[in-house]
Amino acid sequence: MVSEYGLKLAVHLITTHFGNIVANVCENLLRKGPLTLDQLIRFTELKREQVKNSLLVLVQHNCVQPFQNQQQQDAAKTEYMALFDNILHRPRFPKFLDIVSRKLDDECVELLDGLLRNGRLTLQQMADRASEGKENPVAIDVVRESLCKLLAGQYVERCPAPEPVLFPVVEETTTRKRGAKSAKIFQPPLTIEQRVLEVSVAGESIRFSLTADTGFNADRETNSDDCPMTSVEDAVKEELTPWRANFEEFMRHLRHKALIENVRTRLDEGAATILSAILDATRTAERKVKVQNSVPLSLEAIFTEVVKSENGRTMTIDRVKASLVQLGCPSRVPDDSYTIDLKNIIELARNDEVESIVLKRYGPYAYRMFRLLSKANCFLETDKIAESTLVEKKEAPRLLHGLWKDNYLHMEKLQVMASKQSRFVMWKVNKPQLWDYVLDEMYHAALNLNLRLGLEQEKDVELLSVPLDKINESKSLQKKFERRRRVRLLLGSSLMKLDDALMLFHDF
Amino acid sequence: MNGGNKRKRQDMALAVSDSLSNEERIVYNMIRSKENMGIWSGELKRETTIPENIFKKVLKSLEAKQLIKQVVNVQSKGRKIFMATEFQPSKEITGGDWYSDGKLDIEFIDTLKQLSLGYLSRQKVATVDMVLKFFKESGAFTVEVSNQNLEEILKTLVLDDKVSEVKSTGFDDFAGVPPGRVCYRIKSKIGGVREEKVGAMASIPCGVCPRINFCTPDGVVSPKNCVYYDKWLDF
Ligand code: SF4
């Protein structure tokens, strides 16, 4: 479930990108979950045509996914589902472009830019776009070549099935298996959103292949990889296949980057080099973005990969081994392979972010107590906390209470009958809950930053139409101009940094 | 407490109680029975059931005879706590080694922290014993600092994120320290620029704003009229 301010931020982004009407439709989908066209018309009180057009825009930009819901008995209806994550990705497009510009040529960056701006494009549309403003039209083959490169890096993917069918969940066998199997870790059932996404995505080999036949249509298995091309007609259709940026790959890339950066500051350059090599080597084997552990790799394979990298060229195998120990991974005995606990690195980074808020907002004593509780990861009693942190015993309850009031701590009162001093107050940092809370505060902060940025841009907007030499003549104009520039720079860079933190708490 | 000590105390108590009035004896025995925990005057009165006016006199006289003393309770300074003179107040009453007169001795703690940081910044790593040895040799203190006291100081430095706790490997920086021994290492050298890890939230006004829960896009408190932002963007 998306938190309140996450929702508000998403609606704000859609409003600024596509206007109020589209945002109205989107907000209803975000708040109420998947809806049919008729329901949307009722809730938004807009005209049918307006809702339809809004949906077209949202689908085109990958912010909404339609699907056929066959879960109920009655006739299947098309429902529309908002894709919160994809909406939040929109301000990240410059980051995505930056990634590709470091790996591929300018033509690829151009092509990706077109996809990000337009949401989805066919090969023909890409070619038309590339030819815009040029004397000679760019040949479709040239565009195809760039697309192939982007596909090879999985930066671009085939658009998902336009309207996948969601069948009722088949209950697992009712006879309860006892013993080892039933002791399996409980997996929460997938939400409707997750299931729709799962059925809409093409199998790996089709998803990133330019030539494969998709076989996507309403009454065919959407998920199978083995639909041979049947006719020339299909080949022609190929030209009409829409493509889009593969956000998953970009998020994986950004997650890896965050992991490596964190290890670099926490440990050292060597450990960062090793982690980077491991993640590079196993990138394509990662099945989703939020993988808990790195894919197991033998020491030999790691070493080969490390010496390939620029920083790792001079490393010895002993140095690699030492770094692996630093990274907290003793080799696994059976096959001598190593795997790194990535989730742990992410969690340490989250702790840092939260602690730095506590320090700034509540001061050094509260910070010290908070860190004690965060490390202990269990309930501690007020006096015990004060003693272990050398904080004045009369001051400690007040500070702890302040943190609790703002949802940064969990508190429980304990009544012990037999003892003379019968009431204890116990405190704890409940991390998962706290992270959700901090994430919502971050969405709130991001929304505020966006609003303020908008306001600052409106202010002194007439400055933009003043010719440069006029500005240079007047001191006061110069000052205003300079202020505007610095404000935009500060707000913009703060937004980017905050967005990194948002990803750390939501996507990684 | 050893046996001899106990006997001595009993003898003393006998001698004392001879010279006391009846009420004095009752009150004194009650206070004494609480040993190093002492007893709150309110509870004392309730338990001994002596009328108010006499009760006060009795306490005065016992104090004058130096048989009992008042001690400050760190938990509730308003409450009068009485204790027999022969006992030293317990940790629960005083708050422990770091408290004097019921108050945390912040100045003393800070001095110890600063000195420890100073020493650690000149060392690669150091154990508690090494820091203690330095303290003793420097002669900076007339007060005795125990090994345990110092460990507490170093642990708070770890919580302050100024020092990290590491285990000796016996090699390199740890040469001379037996492997497995807990060591402390400074996170940044004093004087050098310490890279403060300021998070994304902590570096913007909303991230540290006390009013964030009252702030809405179009409310009375909003980013559009926010004083914190005005200050932040005041170039
Ligand atoms: S906009 Fe201003 S008042 Fe609102 S949360 Fe941010 S700093 Fe606080």
Side-chain angles (χ1 to χ4, degrees):
Chain A
M1 210 29 222
V2 180
S3 69
E4 178 60 22
Y5 273 97
L7 235 140
K8 285 199 167 118
L9 176 61
V11 173
H12 172 82
L13 291 172
I14 294 296
T15 312
T16 44
H17 293 174
F18 306 116
N20 290 329
I21 295 178
V22 180
N24 184 352
V25 172
C26 189
E27 177 161 12
N28 271 282
L29 292 177
L30 281 167
R31 289 198 183 274
K32 302 199 170 77
L35 296 174
T36 62
L37 180 61
D38 287 335
Q39 286 171 320
L40 266 173
I41 293 168
R42 205 165 60 239
F43 289 134
T44 56
E45 298 178 353
L46 292 169
K47 294 202 194 79
R48 176 170 290 265
E49 225 28 52
Q50 287 174 310
V51 177
K52 267 188 163 174
N53 284 335
S54 300
L55 285 171
L56 280 178
V57 170
L58 289 166
V59 172
Q60 171 74 24
H61 287 276
N62 307 302
C63 298
V64 158
Q65 172 72 45
F67 65 99
Q68 291 267 337
N69 197 347
Q70 289 203 350
Q71 298 211 100
Q72 274 90 35
Q73 295 299 322
D74 44 346
K77 279 239 172 78
T78 304
E79 292 185 14
Y80 298 87
M81 176 179 97
L83 302 173
F84 173 78
D85 288 0
N86 285 7
I87 298 172
L88 278 233
H89 287 333
R90 299 189 59 79
R92 293 175 189 143
F93 290 171
K95 290 183 186 174
F96 299 168
L97 282 168
D98 182 60
I99 293 171
V100 168
S101 73
R102 282 161 203 275
K103 302 249 170 184
L104 301 173
D105 56 27
D106 287 352
E107 283 73 28
C108 292
V109 179
E110 260 300 298
L111 209 162
L112 179 68
D113 185 43
L115 282 173
L116 291 173
R117 279 175 202 276
N118 295 285
R120 312 173 158 201
L121 292 173
T122 63
L123 193 56
Q124 187 56 54
Q125 286 170 321
M126 292 177 205
D128 292 347
R129 209 178 158 272
S131 309
E132 261 170 39
K134 298 214 171 86
E135 248 174 61
N136 303 315
V138 177
I140 206 157
D141 285 345
V142 179
V143 180
R144 185 180 284 125
E145 199 183 310
S146 296
L147 181 59
C148 277
K149 283 188 210 158
L150 284 164
L151 282 169
Q154 305 199 344
Y155 298 116
V156 165
E157 64 178 350
R158 193 177 284 266
C159 286
E163 243 179 72
V165 185
L166 195 65
F167 294 104
V169 192
V170 187
E171 292 288 329
E172 270 190 45
T173 46
T174 41
T175 44
R176 276 194 138 192
K177 285 184 211 131
R178 301 202 167 267
K181 274 203 176 152
S182 59
K184 239 180 12 188
I185 306 164
F186 171 75
Q187 292 269 357
L190 295 181
T191 60
I192 290 203
E193 281 82 354
Q194 287 165 327
R195 286 174 50 212
V196 170
L197 287 184
E198 211 165 68
V199 292
S200 68
V201 172
E204 203 81 351
S205 61
I206 302 176
R207 190 172 166 196
F208 303 111
S209 150
L210 186 59
T211 48
D213 173 30
T214 61
F216 279 155
N217 59 48
D219 47 27
R220 252 201 197 157
E221 251 295 68
T222 47
N223 240 350
S224 68
D225 293 6
D226 49 7
C227 299
M229 202 179 291
T230 45
S231 67
V232 187
E233 243 174 73
D234 281 343
V236 176
K237 267 194 220 152
E238 210 41 68
E239 306 257 296
L240 301 173
T241 312
W243 302 92
R244 66 172 191 180
N246 175 20
F247 295 150
E248 202 182 310
E249 179 58 31
F250 290 113
M251 293 317 279
R252 179 174 299 127
H253 191 102
L254 290 172
R255 182 179 192 247
H256 286 181
K257 198 172 138 208
L259 285 165
I260 294 162
E261 285 310 316
N262 254 287
V263 163
R264 180 171 294 129
T265 40
R266 197 176 301 278
L267 301 173
D268 56 24
E269 194 61 50
T273 306
I274 308 282
L275 178 64
S276 165
I278 292 176
L279 291 176
D280 263 355
T282 56
R283 190 181 62 91
T284 47
E286 285 186 12
R287 296 260 67 98
K288 52 178 187 185
V289 177
K290 282 191 192 189
V291 288
Q292 174 149 2
N293 296 306
S294 67
V295 180
L297 214 57
S298 72
L299 182 60
E300 225 161 279
I302 295 174
F303 184 66
T304 321
E305 199 62 34
V306 168
V307 291
K308 263 198 268 171
S309 68
E310 206 179 304
N311 292 332
R313 207 155 291 150
T314 54
M315 283 194 179
T316 62
I317 200 144
D318 279 339
R319 178 76 183 83
V320 174
K321 258 193 194 157
S323 286
L324 284 167
V325 173
Q326 252 185 316
L327 284 162
C329 59
S331 86
R332 292 197 311 188
V333 191
D335 52 357
D336 186 38
S337 68
Y338 289 81
T339 162
I340 294 166
D341 186 348
L342 304 177
K343 195 163 153 237
N344 182 45
I345 302 176
I346 295 292
E347 292 189 356
L348 289 174
R350 287 183 187 169
N351 286 347
D352 281 353
E353 178 67 34
V354 176
E355 284 169 7
S356 102
I357 299 175
V358 171
L359 177 62
K360 260 276 179 81
R361 214 187 276 180
Y362 306 92
Y365 291 131
Y367 172 73
R368 206 186 290 158
M369 293 195 284
F370 182 84
R371 277 187 33 108
L372 175 80
L373 284 165
S374 174
K375 282 185 178 197
N377 206 16
C378 63
F379 276 107
L380 292 179
E381 196 262 328
T382 316
D383 267 2
K384 172 94 184 65
I385 298 171
E387 269 167 33
S388 315
T389 51
L390 297 184
V391 171
E392 174 71 63
K393 284 191 183 169
K394 306 222 25 188
E395 186 74 356
R398 192 183 63 78
L399 290 168
L400 291 167
H401 205 267
L403 284 164
W404 168 76
K405 202 175 80 274
D406 289 351
N407 293 317
Y408 277 73
L409 284 184
H410 186 69
M411 184 243 289
E412 244 160 63
K413 289 187 176 146
L414 214 68
Q415 208 87 23
V416 181
M417 283 310 183
S419 140
K420 203 171 67 178
Q421 197 185 6
S422 57
R423 239 182 58 183
F424 295 99
V425 185
M426 312 284 287
W427 310 86
K428 186 184 160 142
V429 177
N430 185 338
K431 284 186 189 164
Q433 210 176 314
L434 175 59
W435 288 336
D436 280 349
Y437 178 75
V438 170
L439 177 62
D440 192 50
E441 277 197 344
M442 284 180 179
Y443 285 137
H444 192 167
L447 176 64
N448 286 351
L449 262 175
N450 270 302
L451 288 170
R452 186 68 188 219
L453 183 61
L455 189 84
E456 294 288 342
Q457 268 166 337
E458 276 169 33
K459 231 195 256 176
D460 299 329
V461 73
E462 69 283 354
L463 267 183
L464 295 184
S465 49
V466 180
L468 209 59
D469 43 338
K470 264 260 175 65
I471 289 180
N472 285 339
E473 275 168 24
S474 151
K475 266 257 154 40
S476 79
L477 273 183
Q478 240 175 28
K479 221 175 138 195
K480 267 191 186 172
F481 198 79
E482 178 61 13
R483 177 184 181 273
R484 196 184 147 86
R485 193 185 65 83
R486 288 176 67 175
V487 164
R488 283 178 43 157
L489 210 69
L490 180 59
L491 290 178
S493 64
S494 299
L495 256 178
M496 282 296 123
K497 196 170 158 195
L498 184 58
D499 183 55
D500 285 340
L502 280 177
M503 290 192 282
L504 180 67
F505 281 73
H506 178 70
D507 303 273
F508 300 165
Chain B
M1 202 185 302
N2 63 43
N5 223 337
K6 208 169 187 173
R7 186 145 346 103
K8 221 165 64 223
R9 279 192 184 168
Q10 267 164 2
D11 293 348
M12 200 172 94
L14 273 177
V16 163
S17 69
D18 279 349
S19 64
L20 296 179
S21 73
N22 232 354
E23 284 87 3
E24 282 175 340
R25 191 166 32 244
I26 294 170
V27 172
Y28 177 62
N29 284 342
M30 172 64 72
I31 295 177
R32 234 184 129 256
S33 71
K34 300 290 178 186
E35 300 193 346
N36 66 357
M37 286 301 290
I39 182 166
W40 171 45
S41 56
E43 196 185 338
L44 187 63
K45 206 166 90 190
R46 209 174 48 237
E47 301 245 326
T48 53
T49 61
I50 293 174
E52 172 84 23
N53 51 348
I54 304 180
F55 180 71
K56 274 193 175 154
K57 260 191 221 152
V58 166
L59 284 178
K60 274 228 170 85
S61 130
L62 285 173
E63 258 187 291
K65 287 177 182 159
Q66 296 197 340
L67 291 174
I68 61 167
K69 60 184 172 185
Q70 270 194 52
V71 291
V72 186
N73 181 356
V74 66
Q75 297 296 338
S76 44
K77 283 184 196 147
R79 288 187 162 191
K80 276 188 185 168
I81 304 280
F82 290 98
M83 185 178 289
T85 9
E86 69 221 69
F87 294 107
Q88 282 308 314
S90 73
K91 215 174 126 199
E92 284 87 341
I93 302 282
T94 61
D97 288 349
W98 302 107
Y99 284 77
S100 64
D101 292 335
K103 260 175 61 191
L104 187 67
D105 195 344
I106 304 234
E107 217 174 288
F108 182 49
I109 292 171
D110 281 349
T111 315
L112 284 179
K113 284 173 104 170
Q114 281 315 318
L115 282 171
S116 305
L117 279 178
Y119 175 71
L120 286 173
S121 71
R122 293 188 297 274
Q123 269 358 80
K124 287 197 171 103
V125 290
T127 60
V128 180
D129 293 336
M130 287 160 77
V131 186
L132 197 62
K133 187 158 164 261
F134 157 72
F135 277 8
K136 290 216 170 106
E137 282 168 5
S138 76
F141 297 106
T142 45
V143 197
E144 182 82 6
V145 179
S146 73
N147 191 299
Q148 195 201 338
N149 289 157
L150 188 60
E151 200 176 325
E152 282 173 42
I153 290 285
L154 293 171
K155 290 236 182 318
T156 60
L157 284 171
V158 173
L159 290 175
D160 287 338
D161 204 25
K162 299 226 158 68
V163 163
S164 53
E165 203 182 278
V166 279
K167 280 229 169 82
S168 167
T169 57
F171 295 113
D172 299 343
D173 289 356
F174 300 101
V177 182
R181 189 74 63 84
V182 174
C183 293
Y184 296 89
R185 186 207 295 272
I186 194 124
K187 283 219 158 178
S188 71
K189 300 273 170 190
I190 285 182
V193 223
R194 173 165 157 75
E195 225 183 284
E196 283 287 350
K197 45 170 195 191
V198 183
M201 279 289 268
S203 45
I204 54 174
C206 303
V208 291
C209 174
R211 298 204 278 177
I212 188 162
N213 290 327
F214 310 100
C215 178
T216 49
D218 302 302
V220 184
V221 183
S222 104
K224 290 175 188 151
N225 60 22
C226 167
V227 282
Y228 305 109
Y229 262 101
D230 290 344
K231 230 173 113 193
W232 192 45
L233 300 178
D234 180 28
F235 291 121

